[in-house]
Amino acid sequence: MPWKPPEPGAVPTLGFEVIDWITELLAAPDRGEYEPFVLYPEQEDFVLRYYEINPRTGKRRFRRGVISRSRGWGKSPFLAALAIAEALGPVVPDGWDESGQPVGKPWSTVRTPLVQIAAVSETQTKNTWVPLLEMLDGPILDAYPGLEPLDTFVNLPRGRIEPITSSARTVKGNKPVFAVLDQTEEWVRSNGGPRLAQTMRINAAKVGGTTIESPNAFIPGEGSVAEESAAFWAKIREGKARDDGLYYDHREAPPETDLEDRVSLLSGLAFTYGDSADRHGGHVDLDTLVATIWDPSTDPQVARADFLNQITHASDAWLSQPEWAACAAPGMVVADREAIVLGFDGSRRRNRGVTDATALVGCRVSDGHLFQLRVWEQPEGPSGRDWQVPVGEVLAEVDEAFKRYRVIGMYADPAKWESHIAGWEARYGAQLLVKSSVAHPIEWWMTGGRALQIVRATRAFHDAVTDQELTHDGASALMRHVLNARRRESRAGIQIAKAHPDSSRKIDAAVASILAWQCRLDALAKGAAVPERSGTVYFL
């Protein structure tokens, strides 16, 4: 039947059909007697979004999904239910009913369905596999003659559900209509996780299938599949992705959640666990979680990752995600002609490895609001081959910043950009109110024999973040670079560096931020004043 436009504000979805199908046919796991499996409201919300239909094409909108929640929230039975629905339920778009709502049909009417539950170890696959088998012990057995749940696989009337791991040799040839990628925060290069994820997505794409990941909070810099998916979502939000077929649902406790304060901790847990928290009628006892977090044997960082679902930091991280997130003020606007300072860290083409990024960061003098002007990074894949920093674009961006704002200072690391920085000094040096030196008003080396100055500037920026003396615009590239930075001890004190010299995880925007912040501090020391109500910044 031809499609009819839905009611204003409504989005066509197969989710309602899928929710009803799950409730009618699946058994709740881990019960003494049969109970229907009923989704929490927030799980229903995910289903409605994940099964959205593009009204223009009549196809499902999303080919990938991520549901990121704390441990114990209920991801495993939830994804088991979706896996069964994909194997047998009405998940393939089949036109529209008389009211203009989409209608679904099972995969078996199109092809023999294969559904896979994937993890990097057999132990992990059991997280979803065990409740999946229990959920099949109910009305669904009568509704689908020939359905045969076995310990190591499930025979469908037509097709199969099976668990697999990264060690499986037959993954590449399979064509699943649906796959669960479980605990992808642990899918890293050393256990073959990224390769397995890539293979499964490609396999699913061959038949128009979909995948869902179920990570807990990942550790930035480990290169996990969960981290890569978060980066993809950040590009979608910023309009920088060529494809937007990922539905990403991540919930973490507010960054200001205090592990030592019971009220603050309970509030953070209640937010993170949502409908599954006992305070909202769910199954998770928050008081037990508080006791577990306060147990001396529980590492605070593990507690934040596991229970608050906060993306924290590596053991040698310079700043943590909660610390950085606590300073975020994405709605704050820096107006034209406001007094700002600039920080710049540049790079040029490398003979080996991934070319470092080039970053230009601004900082408003009046209140210390940090904002990303532009970050140039080597594109992934074939388009990034032989990539070089577009010098012309960089020069134009710097010129535009001087035209748009009242730039009173600029600090730039001149490594590999000496001639261009000399040009900026010749062009803009005389108008700057704060200068690195008389001879070189912009040049500010972050390497070489300036260890004491570098350590002081690095510590000043770190302290400003941890003490929440600055705010930032929440830009994804800036956040990635700050969280990629690693502490490195020198004789002069703590400096920052990449995880290793050839790492693809860059820190140039973090360096530019340190330079911008130091420039602001020097501006204040030289007489920059906090603005009066008129918004004017005065200088002594």
Side-chain angles (χ1 to χ4, degrees):
M1 175 173 290
W3 175 73
K4 293 181 180 179
E7 295 296 323
V11 177
T13 176
L14 291 174
F16 294 107
E17 266 194 276
V18 173
I19 292 169
D20 290 344
W21 188 92
I22 288 172
T23 304
E24 179 181 350
L25 295 174
L26 300 187
D30 197 25
R31 299 290 194 276
E33 298 181 356
Y34 167 78
E35 294 179 23
F37 183 69
V38 179
L39 300 176
Y40 289 130
E42 66 181 286
Q43 293 174 335
E44 291 185 344
D45 290 342
F46 182 91
V47 173
L48 294 175
R49 288 298 313 278
Y50 185 66
Y51 287 96
E52 280 184 12
I53 302 297
N54 184 330
R56 182 177 58 83
T57 64
K59 298 178 181 179
R60 282 173 55 177
R61 177 180 174 187
F62 299 110
R63 59 185 177 83
R64 290 176 55 183
V66 173
I67 179 73
S68 172
R69 290 294 191 276
S70 301
R71 293 194 187 278
W73 175 83
K75 296 189 299 295
S76 294
F78 176 52
L79 293 183
L82 294 185
I84 298 170
E86 288 280 347
L88 296 167
V91 298
V92 178
D94 190 31
W96 312 87
D97 63 18
E98 294 180 354
S99 63
Q101 294 302 313
V103 177
K105 62 183 177 182
W107 272 108
S108 59
T109 63
V110 179
R111 62 177 297 111
T112 301
L114 171 64
V115 171
Q116 295 179 321
I117 311 297
V120 292
S121 69
E122 290 186 11
T123 301
Q124 285 185 357
T125 60
K126 291 180 180 178
N127 292 336
T128 303
W129 189 251
V130 171
L132 183 146
L133 294 179
E134 294 180 0
M135 297 169 88
L136 292 173
D137 187 16
I140 195 169
L141 289 174
D142 294 328
Y144 290 88
L147 177 63
E148 185 181 18
L150 302 172
D151 287 343
T152 56
F153 63 92
V154 174
N155 275 326
L156 305 174
R158 184 185 179 198
R160 178 184 177 106
I161 307 175
E162 64 182 15
I164 63 168
T165 67
S166 56
S167 62
R169 296 184 177 183
T170 59
V171 172
K172 192 168 185 178
N174 292 331
K175 297 179 181 179
V177 299
F178 179 75
V180 172
L181 283 58
D182 199 13
Q183 289 187 249
T184 51
E185 80 281 1
E186 297 183 14
W187 291 38
V188 294
R189 188 176 299 276
S190 62
N191 57 32
R195 185 179 181 87
L196 174 62
Q198 175 181 274
T199 301
M200 297 194 70
R201 290 178 189 138
I202 291 173
N203 288 346
K206 292 176 183 177
V207 295
T210 57
T211 63
I212 288 185
E213 296 175 39
S214 57
N216 294 107
F218 60 84
I219 296 177
E222 285 193 338
S224 66
V225 169
E227 184 175 12
E228 292 172 352
S229 295
F232 179 28
W233 175 240
K235 288 183 178 180
I236 292 174
R237 291 201 319 270
E238 295 182 351
K240 297 179 179 178
R242 286 176 289 182
D243 172 73
D244 62 354
L246 168 67
Y247 177 55
Y248 193 89
D249 188 339
H250 168 79
R251 180 185 293 172
E252 63 181 82
E256 63 271 15
T257 301
D258 185 353
L259 294 184
E260 304 299 322
D261 182 87
R262 182 178 180 83
V263 174
S264 175
L265 181 54
L266 281 171
S267 177
L269 290 169
F271 175 80
T272 306
Y273 281 88
D275 294 329
S276 68
D278 55 359
R279 301 188 175 199
H280 300 148
H283 65 279
V284 178
D285 186 336
L286 298 189
D287 289 323
T288 298
L289 295 188
V290 170
T292 303
I293 292 170
W294 284 356
D295 189 309
S297 65
T298 302
D299 184 291
Q301 183 172 330
V302 172
R304 287 192 177 275
D306 284 1
F307 301 119
L308 298 178
N309 207 32
Q310 289 180 331
I311 301 167
T312 56
H313 56 284
S315 59
D316 60 346
W318 179 50
L319 284 165
S320 71
Q321 194 272 349
E323 289 170 334
W324 186 247
C327 298
M332 195 172 289
V333 176
V334 180
D336 292 354
R337 304 311 303 159
E338 284 201 83
I340 70 165
V341 294
L342 298 174
F344 174 83
D345 186 48
S347 67
R348 301 296 282 272
R349 181 178 176 183
R350 299 185 64 180
N351 293 325
R352 296 178 56 192
V354 179
T355 298
D356 284 341
T358 290
L360 180 65
V361 173
C363 183
R364 184 161 51 196
V365 177
S366 62
D367 60 358
H369 180 66
L370 206 69
F371 59 103
Q372 174 184 303
L373 283 163
R374 188 82 179 270
V375 176
W376 293 264
E377 298 179 285
Q378 183 171 346
E380 299 175 357
S383 61
R385 190 174 302 157
D386 299 323
W387 181 81
Q388 299 184 51
V389 176
V391 175
E393 287 186 16
V394 176
L395 298 179
E397 193 72 34
V398 171
D399 288 341
E400 177 62 26
F402 274 89
K403 290 177 183 176
R404 180 175 180 181
Y405 304 103
R406 186 186 176 203
V407 179
I408 67 166
M410 177 181 183
Y411 286 172
D413 185 356
K416 302 181 182 180
W417 281 76
E418 290 91 337
S419 62
H420 297 297
I421 291 175
W424 293 334
E425 290 179 335
R427 187 170 184 178
Y428 300 114
Q431 72 185 62
L432 299 178
L433 298 176
V434 57
K435 303 178 182 182
S436 177
S437 68
V438 174
H440 293 287
I442 293 178
E443 180 182 288
W444 209 100
W445 285 93
M446 287 292 288
T447 57
R450 294 168 49 86
L452 283 174
Q453 294 96 318
I454 296 167
V455 166
R456 287 170 183 163
T458 302
R459 182 174 60 237
F461 183 85
H462 181 278
D463 291 348
V465 173
T466 56
D467 294 340
Q468 297 183 29
E469 294 176 355
L470 62 75
T471 57
H472 61 80
D473 62 358
S476 66
L478 180 57
M479 178 185 72
R480 282 190 287 105
H481 287 217
V482 168
L483 298 184
N484 286 342
R486 298 290 180 260
R487 294 192 316 271
R488 294 294 181 261
E489 185 78 40
S490 69
R491 277 187 278 184
I494 299 295
Q495 299 186 39
I496 63 170
K498 294 184 294 185
H500 57 83
D502 289 327
S503 174
S504 62
R505 304 183 182 281
K506 305 305 179 184
I507 65 169
D508 304 84
V511 174
S513 299
I514 292 173
L515 290 169
W517 186 253
Q518 184 61 47
C519 193
R520 176 184 181 257
L521 293 180
D522 290 346
L524 295 177
K526 290 181 183 295
V530 176
E532 295 181 354
R533 291 183 182 179
S534 64
T536 303
V537 178
Y538 293 93
F539 297 92
L540 300 179

